[in-house]
Amino acid sequence: MALHKPRLSFWQIVNMNVGFFGIQFSFGLQQSSMSPIYSYLGADEASLPYLWLAGPVTGLLVQPLVGALSDRTLSRWGRRRPYFLIGAILCSLGLLAMPFSSALWMAASLLWILDSANNVTMEPYRAFVSDRLAPAQHSLGFLTQSAFTGLGQTLAYLTPSLLVFLGMSRDAVSGSHIPHVVIAAFLIGAVFSLGSVLWTLKTTPELPLDDEEIRRIRAAPVGWRSTLAEIGAAVRDMPSTMRQLALVQLFQWYAMFCYWQYIVLSLAATMFHSTDPASPGFREAGLLNGQIGAFYNFIAFLAAFALVPFTRRYGPKAMHSVCLALAGAGMLSMPLIHSPSLLLLPMLGIGVAWASMMGNPYVILAGSIPPERTGVYMGIFNMFIVIPMIIQILTLPLYYRAWLGGHPENVIRLAGALLLCAAVAMLLVKVKAARGREAGDVGKDPAAAAGAAAKG
C-alpha cells in the first residue's frame, strides 16, 4: 500500500462512499419486499427462511474469494474498483428482472443472482475505504459508509409509500399479484445501484501501490488454489479480537434475519388481523413495514454521525453493546403495540443499533488486521454475518410451529431476545488499540480517531 495516505476532507469521504448508497438501496428492497413477493407467489409461511438462502450462501462463498482476489489484483482500472463496478452492473440487471417474476422458482433464482452481484461489490468496497484512508480517519470513513447504508435503505423502504403518495394505486397488482408500486421501486433501485457506484468511480481514484507492494503481489502464486490457500492461511492467523466478535455476530445476525423475514407477517397479524397475502390488510402491512423501516434507517443515517463523539468517549465495544440492547428491547415490545404511530418508538432503538452494526464492528476490525490482508479479512469477517444467517435458515423452520406456535410475532420476540444476548457477548470482546495511531488520535480504542477525523 502507498506509504503515505493523504488526509481527505469530509466531502471527499462522502464521495468515496456514495456508491454504498446504491448497494444498500438494493439490500433494502430485498429486506422489505422479498418475503411479501414470495408470499404473493404462493410460498408457505414456515418455509420462508429457506427462500432467503441465496444471500448468506453467496456471501459465504463469494466475499472471501473476491476479497482475496482483490488483494492480489493489479490492473489499469485499480485494485478494488473493477469488482464493485462489475457487481453493480449485475445487481442492476437483477433488480430490473426481480419484480417481473411469474413463479416462486423464478424469484428465488433471481435472488441468487442479485445477492451474488451484491457480494462481488461489498467487500472490495469496504477494503477500498480502508485502503484509501489513514488510520486516523477509519472511524469517520466507516461511519460515513454506515450513514449511506441508513440513507439507501430508508429510501428503499419508503419508495412504495412515496409512490402511493404521488398517485400510484396501492391495490394495483400484476398478474403475479405483485403490487405495481413494488415493481416501480425495483426499477428505481436498478438506476440507483449503478449510478451511485459510477459516481464514486468518477470522483475517487485508488491510491497507487508502492513498488514493494507491487513486487509482493506479482511474486504471489496465482490461480484459484493459491487464493483458497491464502484464505485458509488468513483464517489460521486470524487476530484474537476478530475471533471474539464471532459470538456477537452470531446473535445479532440470526436476530436480524428473523426480523426481516417475518416483520411483514407479524404486522399483518398484530395490526391488521390478516394472514392472507391477497388481502388489503396484508398489503397495508407491507406499506407500514416500508414506513417504519424507512424511519429506522433514517435514524441510522443520523446516528452514524451522532455516535462518533460517544464512541470516542466510551469506546466501540461499550457503545455497540448499548445499541444492541436498545434494539433488543424494541423488538420485544413490537408485538404488544397496536398503533402504527407507536411503532416509531422501538424503531429508534433498532435504527441506532443498525448504524452501530454497520460501523463499529468494522472500526474494531480495521484496527486489528494487517493492511496487506485487508480484502481477505473483510471477506472472512462477512462469514461471521452469513453463517448465522445460514444457521437461522436451516433451524427456524424446524421449530417455527412446534416452539413458536406458528405465530410470526413470536419470531420478532425471539429476535429481540437474541439481540440482548449479543449485547452481553459484546462486553466480552477485548479490543486492541489501532496500529499506526497518528499524533492527533485520542482515547483507548480504534474509534478514538473519530474525534480527530470529525474535527478535521
Side-chain angles (χ1 to χ4, degrees):
M1 190 57 57
L3 294 177
H4 174 69
K5 297 179 181 180
R7 188 179 187 84
L8 299 186
S9 70
F10 173 76
W11 291 111
Q12 287 174 314
I13 293 175
V14 167
N15 281 332
M16 179 173 59
N17 283 294
V18 164
F20 227 65
F21 169 80
I23 296 169
Q24 295 301 327
F25 195 100
S26 171
F27 276 121
L29 287 174
Q30 293 176 52
Q31 293 164 11
S32 63
S33 299
M34 285 315 302
S35 282
I37 286 175
Y38 286 147
S39 296
Y40 297 138
L41 296 173
D44 175 63
E45 196 173 283
S47 300
L48 275 178
Y50 293 136
L51 296 170
W52 282 67
L53 193 60
V57 170
T58 56
L60 180 65
L61 299 176
V62 172
Q63 289 200 20
L65 183 62
V66 170
L69 288 172
S70 72
D71 281 342
R72 299 167 173 224
T73 295
L74 294 174
S75 78
R76 56 186 286 191
W77 299 284
R79 189 184 195 185
R80 317 290 186 185
R81 286 152 48 107
Y83 294 94
F84 52 83
L85 174 60
I86 292 170
I89 293 172
L90 294 175
C91 178
S92 293
L93 294 175
L95 290 170
L96 287 173
M98 177 63 77
F100 298 103
S101 299
S102 56
L104 194 58
W105 68 265
M106 182 177 177
S109 299
L110 283 171
L111 186 61
W112 280 86
I113 296 172
L114 183 57
D115 274 320
S116 295
N118 274 328
N119 283 301
V120 168
T121 306
M122 184 66 68
E123 294 318 312
Y125 207 125
R126 290 198 186 278
F128 173 64
V129 173
S130 183
D131 291 345
R132 197 66 177 81
L133 296 175
Q137 291 192 299
H138 276 170
S139 291
L140 185 59
F142 283 114
L143 287 171
T144 302
Q145 197 170 89
S146 177
F148 274 110
T149 296
L151 182 61
Q153 295 194 8
T154 294
L155 291 179
Y157 274 87
L158 198 56
T159 295
S161 292
L162 289 175
L163 292 173
V164 170
F165 177 76
L166 293 174
M168 287 188 69
S169 171
R170 70 182 64 205
D171 295 319
V173 298
S174 69
S176 301
H177 307 291
I178 298 174
H180 288 174
V181 291
V182 173
I183 295 174
F186 272 81
L187 300 183
I188 292 169
V191 175
F192 283 160
S193 179
L194 183 57
S196 63
V197 168
L198 290 175
W199 178 273
T200 290
L201 292 175
K202 179 178 175 59
T203 59
T204 312
E206 290 193 59
L207 291 176
L209 300 175
D210 59 45
D211 293 339
E212 180 182 349
E213 184 72 3
I214 292 173
R215 284 194 296 270
R216 186 191 66 80
I217 292 173
R218 287 177 174 167
V222 297
W224 65 271
R225 290 185 180 179
S226 61
T227 301
L228 292 178
E230 166 62 18
I231 295 172
V235 171
R236 289 193 300 272
D237 300 337
M238 190 183 302
S240 60
T241 298
M242 187 172 171
R243 292 180 186 273
Q244 292 163 12
L245 285 168
L247 185 61
V248 181
Q249 298 289 83
L250 171 63
F251 287 130
Q252 75 180 27
W253 290 108
Y254 194 115
M256 292 307 297
F257 234 41
C258 286
Y259 176 84
W260 292 327
Q261 289 167 4
Y262 282 91
I263 183 58
V264 173
L265 280 69
S266 176
L267 293 174
T270 59
M271 290 284 179
F272 302 101
H273 310 290
S274 173
T275 58
D276 180 8
S279 67
F282 195 91
R283 289 193 292 273
E284 286 290 339
L287 290 173
L288 177 59
N289 177 53
Q291 292 158 13
I292 64 173
F295 182 76
Y296 89 67
N297 277 286
F298 181 69
I299 294 299
F301 170 70
L302 298 178
F305 295 110
L307 284 174
V308 171
F310 293 99
T311 302
R312 175 182 57 179
R313 181 170 181 177
Y314 300 109
K317 180 172 79 171
M319 284 308 303
H320 193 48
S321 180
V322 170
C323 292
L324 290 172
L326 291 174
M331 286 192 190
L332 285 171
S333 71
M334 287 185 70
L336 303 175
I337 298 173
H338 303 288
S339 169
S341 60
L342 291 179
L343 281 175
L344 298 182
L345 293 176
M347 291 301 109
L348 291 171
I350 294 172
V352 170
W354 186 233
S356 185
M357 287 180 200
M358 301 304 292
N360 278 324
Y362 293 96
V363 174
I364 297 170
L365 180 66
S368 68
I369 57 178
E372 68 275 8
R373 281 179 157 181
T374 297
V376 67
Y377 273 124
M378 287 291 181
I380 291 171
F381 192 63
N382 187 67
M383 295 168 66
F384 295 170
I385 298 174
V386 299
I387 289 176
M389 292 178 176
I390 293 172
I391 294 172
Q392 187 266 357
I393 285 169
L394 296 178
T395 58
L396 184 61
L398 301 178
Y399 61 82
Y400 176 70
R401 290 194 169 93
W403 295 353
L404 302 179
H407 298 299
E409 59 268 34
N410 286 339
V411 181
I412 305 303
R413 291 188 175 100
L414 171 64
L418 290 172
L419 286 174
L420 294 179
C421 292
V424 174
M426 189 65 214
L427 296 176
L428 304 178
V429 176
K430 296 180 180 178
V431 179
K432 295 182 179 180
R435 297 176 317 280
R437 188 76 56 81
E438 295 184 3
D441 297 346
V442 291
K444 298 181 180 180
D445 52 68
K455 292 176 182 177

